[in-house]
Amino acid sequence: MQRTYGQYCGVVRALEMVGERWGLLIVRDLLVGPRRYTDLRNGLPKIPTNILAARLKEMEESGVIRRRILPRPASSVVYELTEYGLELESVMLELGRWGAQSLGELKDGEIVTLDSMIMALRTTFQQSSAVGLHLRYQFHFGPIEIHTVIDDGSIEVEAGPIDDPHAVFHIHGPVNLVMDGSITAEQALESGMLTLDGSAEDLDRFANLFRIGPKSLPAS
Amino acid sequence: MQRTYGQYCGVVRALEMVGERWGLLIVRDLLVGPRRYTDLRNGLPKIPTNILAARLKEMEESGVIRRRILPRPASSVVYELTEYGLELESVMLELGRWGAQSLGELKDGEIVTLDSMIMALRTTFQQSSAVGLHLRYQFHFGPIEIHTVIDDGSIEVEAGPIDDPHAVFHIHGPVNLVMDGSITAEQALESGMLTLDGSAEDLDRFANLFRIGPKSLPAS
DNA sequence: CCGGATCCTCGGTGATACTG
DNA sequence: CAGTATCACCGAGGATCCGG
């Protein structure tokens, strides 16, 4: 590795390992699960392929991720986080929560990907609101299908449908406005940005289970 | 801002605000306290001055930091974190702890700065080992002088000396080897990388109060 | 001395094409 | 599918300069 910061410091080492451009976004997607090269490309549509290859190589060398060849007959290549790389999860969740407060409006050309959506739900999950709850929810957002299993303070969020969900949410707009308190869940429902196959109780639960902030907002 | 990642995602927003090269290191130093332009330059010797100016401007626009002119007669310019920027502290502490596990040997040309040292002590502080303790420690590392006030689970680390410390540590080598468990505090003392003006009890306390890991290590 | 702005070079990034 | 190769370009690196 070249391009160093020239300091003997934990933060510097971390940035040298995962702080290069696109690095943490690759980690974000791998936190959802092992991914093939092409999966990563699809989840990060704007990443140049040579950059993706370079980052994967660098992060493999520094022990953050691992390149693994699946047993036959699949024989395909997957990338996954090492145990060390997995320890970045709490950092990513906090960073995502911090940044989510500045999401604002959907800017031109911006997309929402499956993996980022999964991480967003994990990020904003409020453990304290989930004690004693045992729920299976399903979400639809365009072509994206996600389900979550809430089990007394713990949560699992993954791609795909789930059997016999307690409620199904269809997202048509910036539902993060509900999570950061800009609008109420009822307003989201009225405005049509959210439709629901479930009870009013589920709507309230959703608004309490997934939250951004309340934090101080940037000046701009 | 241009150069975007093209995704509507909290992590992406965070990286767009503080993820550019040198960004988080500026935040690291500002977490220690307000700093003048020249202070930041001295704390980040390898940063090009135009990059520092550019990052400061970008982070000011996104509401992470604030440019303030001190009241007369000082009238000097200082940069400081906004309330929003301050919320990055927990992210930085975790990131530093994660990266510190890969510190390894001091590489050629690498330096240790005052601010990074202060953040390192904050990063590695083990709250649980400090309950019931009320201590004032002082550290010397070359020209760097730091003191810390431990007060029943909480810690303050700052530059400069302190009156009537319970112990004074003189660091001459990679004392992080003690914190990550590679060697014992006694071995550090014997090898001369650490000298102590205090009791053996203080040595043990030091080893317990400031810890890296134990975590899984990178493959390399 | 402080707080930058300016200029120039170089290498990493971005975009695209190509290959085993 | 999993990358490598090529090339234009712009941001990082490094030095100098400048106004207060």
Side-chain angles (χ1 to χ4, degrees), chain B residues 26 30 37 40 51-61 65 79:
Chain B
I26 296 172
L30 290 181
Y37 190 87
L40 290 169
I51 297 293
L52 176 56
R55 292 292 169 273
L56 289 173
K57 204 163 294 180
E58 295 160 10
M59 296 174 82
E60 189 187 357
E61 277 174 37
I65 67 177
Y79 292 91

Side-chain angles (χ1 to χ4, degrees), chain A residues 25-93:
Chain A
L25 292 184
I26 296 172
V27 171
R28 178 198 68 185
D29 284 10
L30 290 182
L31 275 170
V32 178
R35 290 286 182 267
R36 290 176 307 173
Y37 189 87
T38 312
D39 297 333
L40 290 170
R41 262 177 71 155
N42 293 338
L44 271 18
K46 294 193 59 174
I47 194 175
T49 171
N50 56 338
I51 297 293
L52 176 56
R55 292 292 169 273
L56 289 173
K57 205 163 292 180
E58 295 161 11
M59 296 174 83
E60 189 186 357
E61 277 173 38
S62 51
V64 178
I65 66 178
R66 174 172 32 227
R67 185 184 194 272
R68 190 158 61 92
I69 298 178
L70 290 184
R72 310 186 46 176
S75 301
S76 59
V77 179
V78 294
Y79 292 91
E80 60 189 6
L81 293 171
T82 62
E83 303 67 37
Y84 184 55
L86 246 178
E87 291 171 15
L88 281 170
E89 179 164 24
S90 56
V91 177
M92 295 294 300
L93 292 181

